[in-house]
């Protein structure tokens, strides 16, 4: 969640120390920084919770075992807690195209990176191979042949 893009632009333009001096000249800099940090830290947890609820709803609707969604949620929560989502290799792979357009402005970098991740997620979600993998396992377990 980017609730205050001005802070990000200031850090990008002046660096950390220069942006703090620049924000100090404004009257409400402490509340802006506090709200920015709160929403930045909470947005990952909110996203994980929404993803878990969507996954849980789909697994219940498709009559799959609900514990799968819970296990993935717990693993993702632990990865988020220990900061393993922010590994340099992952950032290099998924955010390199956004870095190419960062000189146009920070907004374009966020739009490109968000589009890439959304496209990847939708591809995995609607891919027939991943759906067949999940539902063929379920069909073998219940001895029902899925319709094609």
């Amino acid at each position: 969640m980017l609730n205050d893009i001005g802070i990000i632009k200031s850090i990008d333009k002046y660096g950390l120390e220069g942006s703090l001096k620049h924000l100090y000249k404004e009257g409400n800099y402490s509340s802006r920084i506090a709200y920015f940090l709160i929403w930045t830290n909470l947005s990952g947890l909110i996203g994980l919770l929404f993803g878990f609820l969507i996954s849980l709803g789909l697994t219940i609707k498709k009559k799959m075992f609900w514990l799968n969604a819970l296990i993935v949620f717990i693993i993702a929560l632990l990865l988020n807690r220990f900061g393993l989502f922010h590994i340099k290799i992952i950032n290099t792979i998924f955010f390199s195209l956004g870095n190419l357009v960062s000189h146009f402005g920070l907004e374009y970098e966020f739009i490109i990176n968000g589009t890439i991740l959304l496209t990847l997620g939708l591809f995995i979600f609607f891919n027939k191979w991943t759906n067949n993998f999940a539902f063929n396992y379920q069909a073998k377990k219940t001895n029902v042949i899925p319709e094609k």
Side-chain angles (χ1 to χ4, degrees):
M1 280 180 114
L2 297 174
N3 62 345
D4 196 350
I5 193 75
I7 291 177
I8 296 175
K9 283 184 177 181
S10 177
I11 292 173
D12 191 39
K13 186 175 182 180
Y14 301 115
L16 184 59
E17 290 182 20
S19 65
L20 289 176
K21 290 177 185 176
H22 185 261
L23 288 172
Y24 181 72
K25 294 176 185 175
E26 298 177 10
N28 61 350
Y29 75 97
S30 60
S31 63
R32 283 180 65 187
I33 292 174
Y35 284 129
F36 177 77
L37 291 174
I38 287 170
W39 281 111
T40 302
N41 289 327
L42 283 179
S43 63
L45 293 175
I46 292 170
L48 282 176
L49 185 63
F50 276 125
F52 170 66
L53 292 176
I54 291 170
S55 176
L56 185 65
L58 288 173
T59 55
I60 290 173
K61 181 181 175 185
K62 299 289 184 180
K63 296 181 180 162
M64 297 174 70
F65 191 45
W66 59 269
L67 192 60
N68 294 335
L70 184 65
I71 290 170
V72 170
F73 175 69
I74 291 172
I75 290 171
L77 196 63
L78 289 174
L79 288 173
N80 187 31
R81 170 67 180 100
F82 294 117
L84 297 176
F85 278 143
H86 304 292
I87 297 175
K88 182 86 170 147
I89 296 170
I90 294 173
N91 288 342
T92 303
I93 292 170
F94 291 114
F95 300 141
S96 59
L97 286 176
N99 291 336
L100 292 176
V101 297
S102 64
H103 61 278
F104 290 120
L106 208 53
E107 296 91 358
Y108 295 107
E109 183 178 358
F110 287 131
I111 289 170
I112 295 294
N113 289 338
T115 304
I116 290 170
L117 293 176
L118 181 65
T119 304
L120 182 66
L122 289 174
F123 175 74
I124 291 171
F125 184 74
F126 290 113
N127 191 354
K128 287 188 176 190
W129 186 82
T130 56
N131 287 330
N132 287 339
F133 177 75
F135 295 120
N136 283 341
Y137 175 76
Q138 180 186 10
K140 288 178 187 176
K141 185 177 176 184
T142 59
N143 294 328
V144 176
I145 299 172
E147 295 180 16
K148 293 187 178 184

